[in-house]
Amino acid sequence: MALPNRGEIPLTGYAQRFVDQLAQCRTLGIRTVEASERHIILELPYQTRIIGYPDTGVIHGGVITTLADTACGAVVVCALRHATGNVELSPTLDLRVDYMMAAKPEQPVFCYAECHKLTSAIAFVRAIVYQDDINNPVAQAVGSFMRIGPELVTEQFRKDMEGG
């Protein structure tokens, strides 16, 4: 998986507004580092309340899954915005997360996700959860998200996503 060109990142604010809509993301303090029509990077800050193993300080795997699912969903929202010009939601159909190692305590965790295929009904994504180096992942994920169309988005959600 190649990292994106670090030039213009036009959908970062749009992606953050999506992340801010999700109560679990507000609670966990997840923020958007950057986003484009093809990729997103989210950051999860380390917090003692997300520790799954008190003896080691390692983050609970459910939090890592939440980060990966959110990154995958957010990149689909950005890809659909770019492809259609509409605000659309896409619930998770399937998400497989493979854990490769424990996240190091006291450090933030990042998730890089990309939407590599959009069809009329499904968006396909893949993601890497990492800390210091994307080439030394904590976990990887692949998933599919169902497109439900812009007509099922509420006017309030559309306004919130448009930033006004």
Side-chain angles (χ1 to χ4, degrees):
M1 184 179 300
L3 285 174
N5 179 335
R6 301 290 179 172
E8 186 177 342
I9 309 296
L11 292 170
T12 302
Y14 187 78
Q16 185 61 51
R17 288 190 290 277
F18 173 74
V19 170
D20 288 344
Q21 294 289 317
L22 306 171
Q24 70 275 21
C25 292
R26 291 191 306 271
T27 298
L28 293 170
I30 293 174
R31 74 173 189 91
T32 304
V33 175
E34 62 182 52
S36 73
E37 70 277 9
R38 284 192 42 91
H39 87 285
I40 192 166
I41 298 174
L42 297 184
E43 178 182 12
L44 169 70
Y46 186 81
Q47 307 159 57
T48 55
R49 64 184 173 153
I50 62 174
I51 293 172
Y53 304 95
D55 293 343
T56 62
V58 170
I59 296 172
H60 192 280
V63 178
I64 299 297
T65 297
T66 298
L67 177 64
D69 189 25
T70 302
C72 291
V75 77
V76 171
V77 167
C78 290
L80 290 170
R81 174 68 173 163
H82 178 77
T84 68
N86 294 320
V87 175
E88 287 188 49
L89 290 174
S90 295
T92 307
L93 281 176
D94 181 54
L95 184 70
R96 175 191 165 121
V97 178
D98 296 319
Y99 292 91
M100 300 175 171
M101 64 180 205
K104 298 175 207 160
E106 306 291 336
Q107 294 184 14
V109 179
F110 299 91
C111 184
Y112 172 90
E114 66 178 15
C115 181
H116 59 91
K117 177 80 173 172
L118 269 179
T119 71
S120 61
I122 307 291
F124 297 92
V125 298
R126 52 189 166 218
I128 296 177
V129 178
Y130 64 98
Q131 290 183 292
D132 301 330
D133 182 354
I134 197 168
N135 295 310
N136 188 24
V138 170
Q140 66 181 9
V142 294
S144 56
F145 289 71
M146 180 175 72
R147 294 181 63 180
I148 59 173
E151 62 277 0
L152 294 179
V153 173
T154 66
E155 190 57 36
Q156 184 60 52
F157 183 80
R158 189 179 332 279
K159 285 180 183 175
D160 291 344
M161 288 299 293
E162 296 296 343

